[in-house]
Amino acid sequence: MKLFILFFTLLWLNPFNTSELAAADFVQPLTQGEVLKRDYTEATAPPDASAAWQPFSFDQRLGNERQELITVWFRTEFKLDQRPEEPLKLYLPRLFQGGAIYLNETLLTRIPGADPQTQARWLRPHLINLPLDSLQAGRNSLLLKVDTRWPSVGLGTPLVGTSDRITPEYDQRYFIEQELIVISATVLLMGALFLLVIWLRRPKEVSYALFGLAMLAWGLRSSYNLWPLIPMDYWLLSRAGFYAVTGFGNILLCLFILRAAGIHHYWLERLALVYAALGPLAMLVLDDLFVKWDALWYLGAMPLNVFAVVAIARAAWFQRNWDQVALAVGMGLGVAAFLHDTLVQAGWMPSSGFYLSHVAVPLILCSMGLVLTARFTEALQREENTSQELAARVKQKEESLKASYETVRKMEAEQVRTQERQRIMRDMHDGLGSQLLSSLILVESGEADQKQVAQLLRECLDDMRLVIDTLSLDEEDLVTALGTLRFRMAPRLNTLGIDLHWDLQGLSDDVKINPDAILVILRIVQEALSNVLKHAKASKVQFTLQNSEEGLSFSMVDDGCGFNSNQSYPGKGLTNMQHRAASIDAQLSINSDASGTSLHFHKRLECHADQ
């Protein structure tokens, strides 16, 4: 706030008391002089005494109606009662175009300025050292050669004095017009990045986009003021860019303020953005002619600025929210600074005055950003409170669901037990029960001798053990089930001199198969081995199981006597194997000839690793 007071104080008050400083002879304001306007020339020699010098007041501006590159000479003088004991300083508050400085017709320094290839725009003060050997008692003449193509030329009021009186004034102005620009541009660009990131994450929050883009535009505008020399090849484009960021920065800020005041009209926003685009487009079309009248384009945005100030002030008055009050005050100061710079640009205020918008507006934007950040923080706090409330509700629901889950788990466990009992009963009925019934019929009919009865009982025991084996397995464990079957069948095969070769390929504990399918596979393998024992008269049996992406397959090949597949046999073993394979959607093929019998089984697994 102190900085704003300083700004507006400097607008109306001369920072020096001329009479006291002149009396003390430490500082002399150079208010009057002469001016000579000529066509542009690269020559650096001062004009001769016969030149047509005209009186000139340094608080005025000299016009350049044609806006072509011209050379302007300024001449003034200061008086010293005696030769000073230390070098003096020349303070130039507004040497906007750069130029050459002469003391007593001796070139002191040259500040890079405009030429046919370059445009100059020094938005900063200059401090020139006046060496002792160039100073003299009495009158000392100063000459300034300025080359410019700007519509008007103004230097402000130069000052001559000792270092301890001049340097603080220079440092103050340099900080405001240069160092503060660097600070504000950095803060604005970082703030814009922060707000635009928030908007990208929350696209519905258009206010963040408007304010973030406004900060980005003003940050770029501030950065533009740090480039004093621009090649003429890029001057038109750079100036159009300057008008673009200025116009859009102002318009976007107004639209943000209007949204904060609760005013949101699409037609108004679009019309305002179109007007913001007119400035850079007119610059590209009209070139220097637009620069001459650009103040009118700036003033054309004033109604929207005033409307935004009135709207946010009205909202602050009725709603009495501190953030809206801060926005109203900040927007009012911004409009005042913007209007002031427009008047300075148009030549309606002293040329030595400060340009405030590039400093005041960024500070105001930062204060508005703090307000927006406060709103964002409050929104996060509300969201956090809502999250805590939801978390409490979720915890309550979790406890309720946990109790429900426990009830469901018990019901599922009871259902699993019931299903397991039904499966055991079905297996006992279809397997062991069927075997016992067939054996009982044969024994009662007297058709079975003692050897056949023993074989039937052995098959019943095998089937009972098979069911018991599947009940004692870990869930869905085919590897263990096949291993148990091999362990039980191998001794009987060895007794008959049958060599069993057992090969499992690609089968691991990760292969998951339904227990009902395991039992079917085991019964098919057991039935096939039993047929080899009873009928094949083989010397070797090769069992190969493969697990691949296509599914689960196994084959059993013996070198026995084979059988005629076209002939019917009294047993139902082959038919039962086909039915069992079909019950689990598997394919089973059996081929036999004089060289032996081969059996091939294949089942496709819908989810290979988690069936």
Side-chain angles (χ1 to χ4, degrees), residues 377-444:
T377 304
E378 293 175 359
L380 289 179
Q381 184 63 44
R382 290 194 298 270
E383 185 175 352
E384 182 178 354
N385 295 337
T386 303
S387 299
Q388 291 177 354
E389 181 179 354
L390 288 176
R393 293 182 179 179
V394 168
K395 185 177 180 180
Q396 182 179 1
K397 289 294 183 181
E398 285 180 348
E399 293 177 355
S400 176
L401 289 174
K402 186 178 180 180
S404 300
Y405 171 77
E406 185 65 23
T407 302
V408 172
R409 190 188 63 81
K410 292 179 179 179
M411 295 175 62
E412 288 179 346
E414 181 62 30
Q415 184 179 7
V416 169
R417 285 192 293 268
T418 301
Q419 291 176 349
E420 188 65 16
R421 285 194 294 267
Q422 293 175 349
R423 186 178 72 85
I424 294 172
M425 293 172 61
R426 184 174 63 252
D427 292 340
M428 295 292 288
H429 177 272
D430 295 343
L432 182 59
S434 177
Q435 287 279 21
L436 290 174
L437 180 59
S438 300
S439 301
L440 179 61
I441 293 173
L442 289 174
V443 172
E444 289 179 344

Side-chain angles (χ1 to χ4, degrees), residues 555-601:
S555 63
M556 184 178 297
V557 181
D558 65 61
D559 61 352
C561 60
F563 62 91
N564 186 356
S565 57
N566 295 323
Q567 182 179 347
S568 60
Y569 296 91
K572 297 183 179 181
L574 298 178
T575 303
N576 289 338
M577 284 193 289
Q578 293 286 358
H579 289 167
R580 285 168 178 166
S583 68
I584 59 172
D585 296 325
Q587 293 80 42
L588 179 69
S589 62
I590 302 174
N591 299 306
S592 184
D593 54 28
S595 61
T597 303
S598 62
L599 177 146
H600 298 278
F601 172 93

Side-chain angles (χ1 to χ4, degrees), residues 265-330:
H265 300 294
Y266 284 109
W267 64 267
L268 176 62
E269 294 179 346
R270 293 173 182 174
L271 183 62
L273 293 175
V274 169
Y275 183 81
L278 289 178
L281 293 176
M283 176 66 195
L284 292 174
V285 174
L286 302 177
D287 200 353
D288 291 337
L289 182 61
F290 178 78
V291 177
K292 183 178 181 180
W293 301 101
D294 62 353
L296 296 179
W297 178 68
Y298 286 127
L299 291 175
M302 279 295 114
L304 181 63
N305 285 266
V306 174
F307 178 56
V309 172
V310 172
I312 193 65
R314 184 176 182 276
W317 175 262
F318 285 103
Q319 299 180 17
R320 304 297 175 91
N321 292 332
W322 72 268
D323 52 350
Q324 290 184 332
V325 174
L327 290 175
V329 174

Side-chain angles (χ1 to χ4, degrees), residues 451 455 489-499 529-540:
K451 184 178 181 180
Q455 179 63 28
M489 299 296 293
R492 296 167 62 182
L493 293 168
N494 292 335
T495 301
L496 297 178
I498 301 174
D499 189 10
L529 290 175
S530 297
N531 288 338
V532 172
L533 287 171
K534 292 187 290 184
H535 309 295
K537 300 179 181 181
S539 62
K540 182 176 66 175

Side-chain angles (χ1 to χ4, degrees), residues 339-406:
L339 179 61
H340 165 265
D341 286 2
T342 302
L343 297 178
V344 173
Q345 181 75 13
W348 299 337
M349 294 187 68
S351 60
S352 59
F354 288 96
Y355 282 102
L356 296 182
S357 61
H358 70 275
V359 176
V361 173
L363 293 177
I364 295 167
L365 284 172
C366 291
S367 65
M368 292 181 178
L370 293 177
V371 172
L372 198 61
T373 302
R375 288 187 175 186
F376 181 69
T377 304
E378 293 175 359
L380 289 179
Q381 184 63 44
R382 290 194 298 270
E383 185 175 352
E384 182 178 354
N385 295 337
T386 303
S387 299
Q388 291 177 354
E389 181 179 354
L390 288 176
R393 293 182 179 179
V394 168
K395 185 177 180 180
Q396 182 179 1
K397 289 294 183 181
E398 285 180 348
E399 293 177 355
S400 176
L401 289 174
K402 186 178 180 180
S404 300
Y405 171 77
E406 185 65 23

